[in-house]
Amino acid sequence: MTTDNATPGPGADILLVDDEPANLLTLEAILHDLGQNLVKARSGADALRFLLARDFAAILLDVQMRPLDGFETAKLIRARKKSRHTPILFLTAYEDNRLSVEEAYALGAVDYLVKPVVPVVLRAKVNGFIELFEKRRQIEAQAERLRQLDRREFEQKLAEENARLSAAERRFRALTENSSDAVCLLAPDAAIRYVSPPITRILGYAPEELVGQSGLGLVHAEEQGLLATRLAALVARPGGTDTVQVRARHRDGSWVWVEAVGTNLLDEPAIGAVVVNFRDVTERRRTVQQLRERAEEMERFMDVLPVAVFIARDPECRRVTGNRAAYELLRMPPDSNISQTAPPEERPPFQLYRNGTLVPPDELPLQRAVRTAAEVRDVDLDVVFADGTSTPIYGYATPLFDEAGQVRGALAAFMDISERKSLEKALQERAARLAEADRRKDEFLAMLAHELRNPLAPVRNALHILGLPGVEAAAAAQAREMVQRQVQNMVRLVDDLLDVSRITRGKIRLRAEPVDLAVVVGRAVESARPLIDANRHTLTVSLPDEPLPLTADPTRLEQVFANLLNNAAKYTERGGAIRLEAERQGGEVVVRVRDTGFGIPPQVLPHVFDLFTQADRTLDRAQGGLGIGLTLVKRLVEMHRGSVAAHSEGAGKGSEFVVRLPLAARAVGREGSRGREPAAAAPAGPGHCRVLVVDDNKDAADSLAMLLRVWGHEVRTSHDGQSALKAARSYRPDIVLLDIGLPGLDGYEVAAELRKEFGEGEMLLVALTGYGQDEDRSRSARAGFNQHWVKPVDPEALQALLAARGQAAK
């Protein structure tokens, strides 16, 4: 029955202790049929208050309570002399907690039950303790009465009590037989007085086989001494407990790990023995071993991870440890404390920064994960060391929770992103360079349009003048000179563009030969002289008297010095001074081109040899050009195994370009260079030729035909490959001026077909094309062309060719 906790009933008092009302109701329902006084306590403190006023037959004590848990409550109960031997049954929901079981029996528990409990077993156990309690109470009452009886009555009553005690012992044995563990009663000398039937399940022996034997004989020889020592110590402590794990011999000869929890109840009249509970822990030890091995494997795995892992096992993150990668990243010895919030004497010699600002303590990754109880992702920090160096890191942190859902620490993983940062910086720099190149390309295209349109205006005006009726001969001659000059400018622009493209793609090849520097410089001066004279500059050339022999391509080297002289002429105010001087320095010749011009701004000087770079970006484009002349100079000089550098003290202070070239091993005479071959002189009286002009550009074909007819030649035109073949078969020309880029059959295919039909000698095939690279010339030769000319055609060269062909045909 259940009584008011404040008023005891007529039966034995049973104390039920649990901080969950539902659990108390469950225990009350199970034990209600016993008809005893069930006293309910909601905490350890309440239980202690009841123990001050009452004597309980048994205490059912929950392990997991707050704030005072079951073990702490049991310690306080055992500390009181009155309740030191009160039977305690621990109740818990955790079955495999070895430490809890050991601690329970160490506190003198008579049993350790796992929820949910089996009602029949619980009632049987409690009922046994009630009977023991009643007997003890009766014995105490009888003892009080016996003290007043005579000796005979005392002996008679004593015999009766012994009989009752024997009956109580039998009931106790029946109770222990229902336990999941084997219960053994040992004498102080380790002799087995009683063992419960579960011993058969654990060790294979029948209980009667073991009664009377020494318990030490069941233990492995290596552990018998340990067990004997522990038993002797326990016997010397009335009411004391001890727990030990040993190997016990199974009946089949194998060894079983058992956990033995002994309680000294020698002074209990109803028991008078050391009560030992046996439990088979072989599987549990195997599981613990597996867990230990897995923990070791995980620890080794963490150490070989390339990612730095940090862990804080306390909510304050006062101690932080990591794997090998973590200590290597932070340049610290293994197992040292790497917490930024550790005590000052333990604090590591580095700091964490975010975007150049020191990270506050509560914003550190681990601390923030604990504070917010949430993951902290995409953490980008810099580890700054005591020597001022730093390492960028990237990672995340996550909180760790205990069984109750409370944050117990945090874990973080970070990686060194120095390489990624370097790549990002390189990509940014490359993007900036590409953006700059794109900007300069746009400016170049605008300049190109400007430079190509400029010659077209005077050409159009000149053509208009030539078309006027009655135009004077002097005006017509001036107009023709104007057209010729502007066409030459356009040819020069296109040639520069083609040269840059060929050099950039490695398609240009030098035709090196022995040449004297004086010859090259002289031709470069001749080439630049018109622009220098037009601007009324003073040019001074200073060369040593000794020969300066080179092994070089004279045409390309002439182009280098002509470009430098033209550049000086363009960027020097009218009436300025230009000086070219050369000298020998060891195995090199050094050529300097100085001017008194505008100079080179400091921001432009590092990029002066870059493609499309010009100091002047104004709309008037007074100096003209495409900004590729100096790029050609640099590339051509480097192809000659030389170098070129630019110097300037700033705007308005002129500039200087210094070219260094290796001298040849042996000298050559100044007359020893072939240089450019002079144009063949046109014969005095060109012979008559039949010419077939093939070009899909009608204006180009018709204008060329018109020129040829003026020279006295017979001309026909075609505008595609098929019509060209038909015309050649019927017309049988002496010369075919054949465009390459034709619709249908291209010029290569037409030339191959003509060679197949007419052989090598009948027709002279001349390729007219905008493509002038070496592979283009090789391909035209393989197709059967005699010559390869790049548009626009030089009229003098064409007239010379026709004259020679006409003379050969006579």
Side-chain angles (χ1 to χ4, degrees), residues 221 248 387 493 530 720:
D387 61 1
L493 290 174
D720 60 70

Side-chain angles (χ1 to χ4, degrees), residues 455 457-468 471-487:
V459 168
R460 175 178 288 179
N461 295 336
L463 292 174
H464 183 72
I465 293 171
L466 292 173
L468 293 175
V471 63
E472 294 181 358
Q478 184 178 1
R480 284 191 295 272
E481 290 176 1
M482 184 185 304
V483 170
Q484 185 174 3
R485 187 166 56 252
Q486 295 304 324
V487 169

Side-chain angles (χ1 to χ4, degrees), residues 512-517 546-552 557 584 586-589 640-641 661-669:
E513 61 184 60
V515 63
D516 188 80
L517 178 67
E546 63 173 322
L548 295 174
L550 304 171
T551 300
L557 212 52
R584 179 194 293 267
E588 290 183 327
V589 59
H640 282 85
R641 296 179 291 111
L661 294 168
L663 287 167
R666 58 188 180 86
V668 297

Side-chain angles (χ1 to χ4, degrees), residues 428-501:
Q428 291 170 355
E429 292 174 351
R430 183 178 181 184
R433 289 195 300 270
L434 290 175
E436 175 63 16
D438 186 62
R439 181 187 65 79
R440 285 162 47 197
K441 179 261 298 179
D442 290 341
E443 292 180 351
F444 163 73
L445 292 176
M447 286 189 293
L448 178 61
H450 179 278
E451 293 299 317
L452 291 178
R453 288 192 182 104
N454 273 348
L456 294 177
V459 168
R460 175 178 288 179
N461 295 336
L463 292 174
H464 183 72
I465 293 171
L466 292 173
L468 293 175
V471 63
E472 294 181 358
Q478 184 178 1
R480 284 191 295 272
E481 290 176 1
M482 184 185 304
V483 170
Q484 185 174 3
R485 187 166 56 252
Q486 295 304 324
V487 169
Q488 288 292 343
N489 288 338
M490 293 183 71
V491 169
R492 177 179 54 80
L493 290 174
V494 173
D495 285 344
D496 282 352
L497 284 173
L498 291 175
D499 281 344
V500 168
S501 174

